Amino acid sequence: DYLADTAKHPGIVSPVYNEEEIIGDFNSALFSVIDSLKHKYQFEVIYVLDKSTDNTLNILRLSYRWVKWSMQ
């Protein structure tokens, strides 16, 4: 059943814009919640970078190689 399957694989989409100073803290908090629920769910985290001009993308690339992102 499609709905039952997708309910067990929730996606989190987060827009980010020039977040290099806080992306680490955000991810720590987010992944703490995800870790507490990973026995029940398989999460997908997608970051949407909206023309960031800082180092946010490089931080995500280097620190979180499995993270998906979209450039807008």
Side-chain angles (χ1 to χ4, degrees):
D1 175 64
Y2 175 76
L3 290 178
D5 188 47
T6 56
K8 295 177 184 174
H9 296 84
I12 299 168
V13 178
S14 177
V16 292
Y17 177 76
N18 292 343
E19 307 292 349
E20 71 181 358
E21 293 184 19
I22 64 163
I23 196 71
D25 292 338
F26 173 78
N27 284 336
S28 293
L30 176 63
F31 299 145
S32 175
V33 172
I34 288 173
D35 282 344
S36 72
L37 298 171
K38 68 182 178 184
H39 65 283
K40 291 177 68 174
Y41 303 101
Q42 181 180 354
F43 287 90
E44 176 181 41
V45 178
I46 301 171
Y47 295 91
V48 180
L49 282 81
D50 190 12
K51 300 178 185 170
S52 285
T53 58
D54 68 356
N55 211 21
T56 302
L57 178 58
N58 288 332
I59 292 169
L60 290 172
R61 281 182 177 160
L62 295 173
S63 301
Y64 309 97
R65 295 183 188 276
W66 51 269
V67 170
K68 297 179 182 180
W69 62 84
S70 170
M71 297 291 287
Q72 297 294 319

